Amino acid sequence: MKGAFIMKSAVRYYSRSGNTRLVAEAIAKGTGTQAVSVDAADAEVREPVDVLFIGGALYAYGIDTNLKEYIRSLKKENVAKAVVFSTSWVSKHALDLIREELKKQGIRVSEETLYFRGKPNEKQQAEAEKFAKKFL
Ligand SMILES: Cc1cc2nc3c(=O)[nH]c(=O)nc-3n(C[C@H](O)[C@H](O)[C@H](O)COP(=O)(O)O)c2cc1C
């Protein structure tokens, strides 16, 4: 029966100046969930999800320790698949760094990623919303 199978998803991000947060919020809008910062009290993924959207940016060639530690706290049995997104200025390398950390946790990571250079404009936010819907 169409619609009987509902995919569960969650959105987690780390953002210093709000660029990645805007992408996270667009993804959350697309999937009907909340975007939660990895350092928020309710950041833990307590119930298994089919898709975890997880994003961050590059700061001095690396991802923030908060994000790294958060990924290391994830339980692979609660995340069937992760989808990585990022903003940053010079390179997309944050995508690889986040993917590597997730793989170390034994979490399956989608080949599909989402990246915007710096602050996403409204068109890009709409693109992020549409991107996220594909995974439902
Ligand atoms: C202290 C600092 C260091 C940064 N280092 C890099 C970098 O090494 N490579 C890069 O591509 N962007 C770098 N950026 C740009 C950020 O990744 C970019 O502005 C990103 O969109 C910030 O995301 P946020 O607003 O979600 O924190 C840096 C920004 C700051 C503030």
Side-chain angles (χ1 to χ4, degrees):
M1 188 172 72
K2 196 169 184 272
F5 182 69
I6 297 169
M7 295 284 276
K8 274 200 77 177
S9 66
V11 185
R12 299 290 184 270
Y13 67 92
Y14 181 79
S15 179
R16 288 191 195 173
S17 56
N19 297 347
T20 313
R21 180 169 50 79
L22 285 173
V23 182
E25 284 170 353
I27 289 172
K29 193 173 166 198
T31 53
T33 183
Q34 297 292 315
V36 180
S37 172
V38 297
D39 55 7
D42 57 345
E44 190 186 341
V45 176
R46 291 174 194 276
E47 302 287 325
V49 293
D50 300 295
V51 186
L52 172 67
F53 296 93
I54 184 153
L58 270 188
Y59 309 101
Y61 312 107
I63 54 170
D64 192 277
T65 313
N66 280 288
L67 180 58
K68 219 181 272 183
E69 283 177 2
Y70 179 77
I71 294 172
R72 288 175 185 171
S73 78
L74 285 171
K75 296 181 182 76
K76 73 171 181 188
E77 58 273 22
N78 281 352
V79 183
K81 179 169 80 175
V83 176
V84 179
F85 61 97
S86 174
T87 66
S88 52
W89 196 243
V90 186
S91 88
K92 296 183 179 179
H93 189 50
L95 294 170
D96 299 325
L97 296 175
I98 296 169
R99 183 188 291 117
E100 277 166 25
E101 289 297 332
L102 288 161
K103 285 193 168 171
K104 275 190 220 160
Q105 290 300 109
I107 292 171
R108 196 160 70 88
V109 186
S110 171
E111 286 301 316
E112 277 197 87
T113 56
L114 184 66
Y115 168 84
F116 298 109
R117 189 168 190 233
K119 184 179 177 181
N121 60 31
E122 281 186 14
K123 189 166 168 264
Q124 290 168 324
Q125 289 174 51
E127 198 184 308
E129 195 180 323
K130 201 171 155 202
F131 170 87
K133 282 194 165 109
K134 286 196 300 190
F135 294 90
L136 294 186

